[in-house]
Amino acid sequence: MTAPTTGVQLPAAKDIRDMLTGLVGKPVNVSPGAPVTPTPEKPVAVAVYVDPQMAVNALCLMDLGAAAYTGSALALLPPGGAQDAVEEDGELTSMQVEALHEVVNVLSALFNTPGAPHSKLHKLYAPGEELPGDIVGMLAAFNRVDLAIEVPTYGKGALSFVVP
């Protein structure tokens, strides 16, 4: 049995904005938002981060909009295709999932602050993919930051960071 990890801090909204802006090369707007919660009608992407002992120490949840728009902007995919994924298809293309994987992998740096255990991306669950029960149980944790984002020329979405 290992002691629970301590030291993982929720990133500040400004740090999240700066990271996303640098990543997609566009000034991403970030403001307080509602918690991102998966439902059958509203699939979300869930990135699971772990410490060196493979204990889950952070989660990043993105609604379909945030997932499609950040991934598509990173991969320089056309905004129209990202908007179709959100508004018509209700799911991401394999190329969008691949780009989103890179987005959430880079976002792991937000948790790697002095004194905190090293966090790395363990797994990305694409929107609509079934989540394991233990991960579902962590999604409602109160130690979280919930944000609305807007990626210029792409659209709006929501993301939440959760430290279980």
Side-chain angles (χ1 to χ4, degrees):
M1 173 128 170
T2 58
T5 58
T6 58
V8 174
Q9 300 292 315
L10 284 168
K14 179 193 179 309
D15 295 335
I16 296 166
R17 183 195 69 212
D18 292 349
M19 180 77 73
L20 288 172
T21 293
L23 203 54
V24 303
K26 296 172 179 286
V28 176
N29 288 321
V30 173
S31 58
V36 175
T37 309
T39 66
E41 304 78 41
K42 292 191 178 207
V44 304
V46 178
V48 178
Y49 302 97
V50 296
D51 68 14
Q53 287 73 45
M54 296 300 291
V56 174
N57 63 7
L59 302 168
C60 174
L61 291 76
M62 290 189 181
D63 72 358
L64 196 55
Y69 302 143
T70 58
S72 295
L74 174 72
L76 302 174
L77 300 173
Q83 290 153 0
D84 287 349
V86 175
E87 296 163 14
E88 294 172 22
D89 306 336
E91 63 183 12
L92 302 179
T93 66
S94 60
M95 195 177 292
Q96 288 167 329
V97 172
E98 200 174 303
L100 177 62
H101 188 275
E102 188 56 31
V103 169
V104 296
N105 188 41
V106 171
L107 290 177
S108 70
L110 291 167
F111 300 109
N112 291 320
T113 56
H118 182 76
S119 293
K120 67 176 185 179
L121 178 64
H122 174 64
K123 181 156 176 51
L124 170 65
Y125 293 92
E129 219 176 305
E130 190 164 339
L131 297 170
D134 60 333
I135 299 298
V136 171
M138 294 177 194
L139 297 180
F142 293 108
N143 192 12
R144 60 189 301 137
V145 60
D146 304 303
L147 300 169
I149 67 166
E150 183 174 3
V151 181
T153 69
Y154 284 88
K156 296 179 181 180
L159 71 90
S160 294
F161 285 101
V162 178
V163 175

